[in-house]
Amino acid sequence: MDRRKFFGVTAGGIAATLLTKTNLHGIALPFDQDVKFQPDYLPFAPGVPPAPYQFPKDFRWGSATAAYQVEGAWKADGKGESVWDRFAHTVGKIKGAATGDVACDSYYRYKEDIALAKSLNLTSYRFSISWPRIQANGTGPANPKGLDHYKRVLEELHKANIHPLVTMYHWELPQALEDKGGWPNRDTAGYFADYANILVKSLGDQVNTWCIFNEPNIFTWLGYGTGIHAPGRTDWNDFMKSTHVVNLAQGQAFRAIKAATPKAEASSAVTMADCIPRSSSEADRAATDRYEAYRDFWFFDPALKGEYPKPLATDELLQSMGVRPGDMEVIRVPLDFIGINYYDRCVCFAADANGPAKVDTQQGEQGPKTENGWEVWPDGYYNLLTKVNARYKPKAIDITENGCAYNDVPDEKGEVPDERRIAFFRGYIGAVARAHKEGVPIRSYNAWSLMDNYEWAEGYSQRFGFVFVDFRTLKRTVKQSGKWYAQLAATGKLS
């Protein structure tokens, strides 16, 4: 299953597991249903078409990757085993029995990949650090070879005049820490803070912007709730406890960053949806509020407001999460920006049969679909950006991910024509432009992804990149969309 199909969770989704104390084995999930693809593609989804816009000169145009998805070299230079190494090597977990053992081989080809980013005129590059490369077992002294690798990556980025946006955790928990209880174990927050301290003290002179966690609402839910992602556990209490421990870790890591490098900026990236009620009924609107509380705000409200979102956070729920006196003081920190990953909108409606949450969801069906069945609807992106800005009034918003899967391949000339991807980005960046024009403080856009890569449980079956990767030869080829994006990055002009 693709990590982002969480976005379209229906009856087997958040309502059936987030707030019902049931074991998840045997629950029928919507991910198992056949996806109906819509081959027809419009230049933009129905709604407001993208208008020409000139972004400011200091706007950062970038792309994003993640260590396990591109690096490979899974045993190299003292790297320890991660939960994804273990999970991907478990029979039946990944489509095509694919692993990230080699992936795009970027551990060895990072100079080539940064040169590609420079050729696309990028001024921002979001990448992640593999925790088990730094601490093989998640504790103890740092592995100097692991740190040296990322120092070289950062040096190469600075040579190319590309701003590094560095993610501390993109799902690679050391397996040794999972064996100690993983994210539901409160001790993991302290281990993570120690790891963050190592990174900042070793790399902080080269990094001004840290992304502490990537998509904590996804890796907790799919890793401990549904078991579809690593580490593959299916326990309601573990899932809920993990969300709280991650929030504790975020607060502790933020303090470690500021203690070592006070001028550095830090936050996390949460994958959000434009959550809308299916009807105007009071029941559907209330159900939408409950769903949105977890989907969009569960990891920002505690930091910025000092509390979990009230539509969902009952006393009973907080107790089951293991919230203790003093925890919220640790969690509350003044995050410097809001990191937003966005792929889809979510239509919510009341469902009495689905436990205390009483909510069910479905994907939007009005817009065209990408090849993996996600609705294309840029208006939802605009709605979310303006909503987040109104809720938090952040100093800055970084778009940390946004993209689409189209499996176009090289033609007889060796070129990769992917007009659908160009149309997608024109529409979604048009939504960013609308929000920016209205004063939403968006300062960067990091498309997912620089190159085709390992897409978690979907293996190599989905292609999100501006650069085509032949996974047999590892040859890179810039797609037409990459050339289009390079022009946008050079001029800042959306036409």
Side-chain angles (χ1 to χ4, degrees), residues 230-436:
R233 285 157 64 176
T234 54
D235 183 272
W236 182 89
N237 283 317
D238 282 349
F239 160 53
M240 290 313 307
K241 288 177 181 177
S242 72
T243 68
H244 184 59
V245 175
V246 167
N247 270 316
L248 285 168
Q250 178 175 253
Q252 292 181 40
F254 182 90
R255 288 177 170 83
I257 292 168
K258 292 296 185 178
T261 54
K263 293 184 179 180
E265 296 180 320
S267 186
S268 290
V270 172
T271 184
M272 298 184 178
D274 177 31
C275 302
I276 60 174
R278 190 170 67 174
S279 76
S280 60
S281 72
E282 182 178 347
D284 282 357
R285 291 199 302 269
T288 301
D289 290 342
R290 293 191 296 272
Y291 179 80
E292 186 178 51
Y294 179 76
R295 180 60 192 277
D296 292 350
F297 308 134
W298 204 250
F299 295 90
F300 283 135
D301 270 21
L304 297 173
K305 297 176 178 289
E307 61 183 10
Y308 283 96
K310 293 190 181 302
L312 198 57
T314 64
D315 290 342
E316 180 183 5
L317 183 63
L318 296 178
Q319 183 177 3
S320 74
M321 291 163 55
V323 178
R324 299 177 183 175
D327 280 359
M328 301 314 294
E329 286 75 14
V330 174
I331 290 171
R332 187 166 191 171
V333 289
L335 299 175
D336 295 297
F337 62 93
I338 297 290
I340 296 178
N341 295 1
Y342 185 84
Y343 293 93
D344 211 350
R345 64 173 177 161
C346 193
V347 181
C348 307
F349 54 98
D352 289 339
N354 282 346
K358 292 181 171 39
V359 60
D360 205 344
T361 69
Q362 64 188 53
Q363 284 191 331
E365 297 294 339
Q366 293 170 278
K369 300 295 179 68
T370 62
E371 282 192 22
N372 58 342
W374 301 346
E375 183 194 37
V376 180
W377 195 263
D379 283 1
Y381 198 15
Y382 165 81
N383 294 339
L384 175 73
L385 290 169
T386 53
K387 180 184 295 185
V388 169
N389 186 53
R391 186 181 185 93
Y392 297 119
K393 297 179 175 57
K395 291 179 287 186
I397 291 176
D398 285 306
I399 305 304
T400 37
E401 289 184 29
N402 176 227
C404 53
Y406 294 107
N407 290 352
D408 301 293
V409 299
D411 60 17
E412 64 279 0
K413 297 180 181 179
E415 299 178 351
V416 185
D418 58 339
E419 293 86 357
R420 295 174 298 175
R421 182 173 283 103
I422 294 172
F424 176 95
F425 278 112
R426 181 178 282 117
Y428 277 76
I429 294 172
V432 172
R434 286 178 61 201
H436 189 270

Side-chain angles (χ1 to χ4, degrees), residues 143-223:
N143 170 21
K145 289 185 178 180
L147 286 173
D148 286 346
H149 168 72
Y150 292 110
K151 287 178 182 178
R152 291 191 294 269
V153 171
L154 288 163
E155 287 168 1
E156 200 70 18
L157 286 168
H158 286 299
K159 285 182 194 176
N161 293 317
I162 297 174
H163 178 86
L165 200 173
V166 184
T167 302
M168 291 181 163
Y169 186 86
H170 201 130
W171 306 4
E172 288 191 86
L173 183 70
Q175 182 62 44
L177 293 187
E178 173 60 22
D179 294 340
K180 292 182 178 181
W183 281 112
N185 176 10
R186 286 179 66 99
D187 291 341
T188 304
Y191 297 139
F192 183 80
D194 292 341
Y195 159 67
N197 190 53
I198 290 172
L199 293 187
V200 179
K201 288 187 174 180
S202 301
L203 306 176
D205 60 336
Q206 296 175 285
V207 181
N208 293 323
T209 311
W210 294 98
C211 180
I212 298 170
F213 285 109
N214 180 72
E215 299 184 338
N217 52 348
I218 299 295
F219 74 75
T220 54
W221 165 252
L222 296 186

